[in-house]
């Protein structure tokens, strides 16, 4: 599931770079750089969470993680 | 580029062909990454996707973005994912159903967004008609130009991004620490 988030972020980066090129404005590329930085932070925390969850309950399926539901 | 006319059009045709290859390969590897059962194979298709997207960045004149894409995404983030994926019990993961119950909704949303992009591309009223065209002469995406923007008007977001990364480092360490006491 997390890797699908990465794929979507890549799509957003691509459209940012494309519009940056189309409009002749560098701010789109800078925004894409920020998206990459935020994605790196998200990966760090997200995979830390996955490791912590995996330690308590093996498996990567999101559907099994019903313990956090209330 | 002060070449003769036929030479220039040949170059344009070559660039267009490269773009269509990169775009098609990106979409294909993204689809394969989502549908493969083995998570490691999935990760390798995502690697192919990242490299092709870096190629599209190069075609768009965003050289720095392409370098960051290869170094940060393909180098760091993907390796991290691979390490975590290898912690899982792979045969058990392969036996599971690949998609959740809501995947038709997700596919419908994705397809309608693609249709929207197609409509906007053909310019039938949805896309703004008068957009400023790119000035071909300006060297876009060069490191110097990006640095001027990044440390000029975007200095505060840049610092906030560094704070965010610091918070993420501390958070990851806190989350992944095994409590031995």
């Amino acid at each position: 599931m997390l890797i699908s988030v990465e794929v979507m972020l890549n799509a957003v980066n691509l459209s940012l770079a494309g519009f940056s090129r189309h409009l002749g404005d560098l701010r789109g590329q800078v925004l894409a750089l920020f998206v990459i930085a935020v994605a790196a932070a998200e990966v760090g925390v997200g995979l830390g969470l996955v490791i912590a969850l995996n330690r308590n309950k093996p498996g990567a399926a999101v559907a099994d993680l019903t313990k956090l539901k209330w | 580029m002060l070449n003769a006319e036929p030479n220039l059009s040949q170059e344009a045709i070559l660039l267009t062909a490269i773009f269509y290859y990169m775009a098609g390969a990106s979409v294909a590897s993204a689809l394969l990454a989502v549908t493969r059962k083995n998570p490691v194979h999935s990760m390798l298709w995502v690697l192919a996707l990242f490299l092709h997207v870096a190629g599209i960045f190069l075609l768009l004149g965003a050289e720095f973005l392409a370098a960051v894409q290869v170094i940060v995404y393909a180098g760091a983030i993907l390796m991290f994912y691979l390490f975590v994926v290898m912690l899982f019990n792979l045969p058990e993961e392969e036996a599971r159903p690949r998609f959740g119950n809501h995947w038709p909704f997700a596919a419908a949303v994705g397809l309608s967004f693609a249709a929207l992009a197609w409509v906007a591309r053909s310019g039938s009223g949805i896309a703004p008609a008068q957009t400023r065209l790119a000035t071909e002469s300006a060297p876009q995406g060069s490191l110097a130009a990006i640095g001027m923007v990044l440390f000029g008007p975007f200095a505060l977001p840049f610092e906030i991004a560094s704070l965010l990364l610091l918070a993420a480092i501390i958070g990851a360490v806190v989350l992944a620490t095994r409590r031995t006491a």
Side-chain angles (χ1 to χ4, degrees), chain A residues 9-34:
Chain A
L9 286 175
N10 249 289
V12 171
N13 277 345
L14 198 53
S15 61
L16 278 174
F19 279 114
S20 156
R21 160 84 174 195
H22 184 64
L23 301 177
D25 192 341
L26 269 180
R27 282 178 297 180
Q29 287 188 29
V30 174
L31 217 53
L33 281 178
F34 284 132

Side-chain angles (χ1 to χ4, degrees), chain B residues 78-133:
Chain B
L78 208 80
M79 283 306 114
F80 199 10
Y81 269 109
L82 268 177
F83 274 122
V84 171
V85 158
M86 285 171 183
L87 288 179
F88 293 142
N89 185 3
L90 282 186
E92 190 187 315
E93 292 300 323
E94 285 181 58
R96 302 186 143 278
R98 193 72 178 89
F99 294 107
N101 292 328
H102 304 299
W103 74 267
F105 290 109
V109 169
L111 280 181
S112 57
F113 196 78
L116 185 67
W118 185 261
V119 169
R121 177 186 162 278
S122 58
S124 60
I126 291 181
Q130 296 291 329
T131 43
R132 216 147 39 91
L133 283 182

Side-chain angles (χ1 to χ4, degrees), chain B residues 4 10 12-13 16 20 40 57 64 78-79 86 105 111 133 138:
Chain B
Q10 255 183 6
I13 287 174
T16 311
Y20 276 114
V40 177
F57 283 156
F64 182 59
L78 208 80
M79 283 306 114
M86 285 171 183
F105 290 109
L111 280 181
L133 283 182

Side-chain angles (χ1 to χ4, degrees), chain B residues 20-43:
Chain B
Y20 276 114
Y21 162 68
M22 292 286 182
S26 301
V27 173
S29 51
L31 282 176
L32 281 166
V34 174
T35 51
R36 289 307 92 186
K37 279 206 169 258
N38 190 329
V40 177
H41 291 177
S42 202
M43 288 298 148

Side-chain angles (χ1 to χ4, degrees), chain B:
Chain B
M1 293 297 167
L2 295 174
N3 288 339
E5 280 295 321
N7 209 352
L8 201 66
S9 76
Q10 255 183 6
E11 193 175 304
I13 287 174
L14 185 66
L15 282 182
T16 311
I18 292 175
F19 168 74
Y20 276 114
Y21 162 68
M22 292 286 182
S26 301
V27 173
S29 51
L31 282 176
L32 281 166
V34 174
T35 51
R36 289 307 92 186
K37 279 206 169 258
N38 190 329
V40 177
H41 291 177
S42 202
M43 288 298 148
L44 292 179
W45 282 114
V46 170
L47 174 63
L49 167 70
F50 286 168
L51 293 180
H52 281 106
V53 169
I56 298 181
F57 283 156
L58 273 185
L59 283 182
L60 285 171
E63 293 94 359
F64 182 59
L65 210 51
V68 167
Q69 169 91 4
V70 169
I71 294 170
V72 175
Y73 259 118
I77 293 182
L78 208 80
M79 283 306 114
F80 199 10
Y81 269 109
L82 268 177
F83 274 122
V84 171
V85 158
M86 285 171 183
L87 288 179
F88 293 142
N89 185 3
L90 282 186
E92 190 187 315
E93 292 300 323
E94 285 181 58
R96 302 186 143 278
R98 193 72 178 89
F99 294 107
N101 292 328
H102 304 299
W103 74 267
F105 290 109
V109 169
L111 280 181
S112 57
F113 196 78
L116 185 67
W118 185 261
V119 169
R121 177 186 162 278
S122 58
S124 60
I126 291 181
Q130 296 291 329
T131 43
R132 216 147 39 91
L133 283 182
T135 49
E136 291 293 332
S137 59
Q140 280 217 354
S142 69
L143 193 47
I146 287 213
M148 288 310 288
V149 179
L150 198 56
F151 291 103
F154 281 88
L156 183 64
F158 184 73
E159 298 298 333
I160 292 176
S162 73
L163 263 183
L164 179 74
L165 283 172
L166 178 66
I169 293 170
I170 296 173
V173 169
V174 168
L175 280 173
T177 316
R178 189 186 292 273
R179 282 174 192 79
T180 50

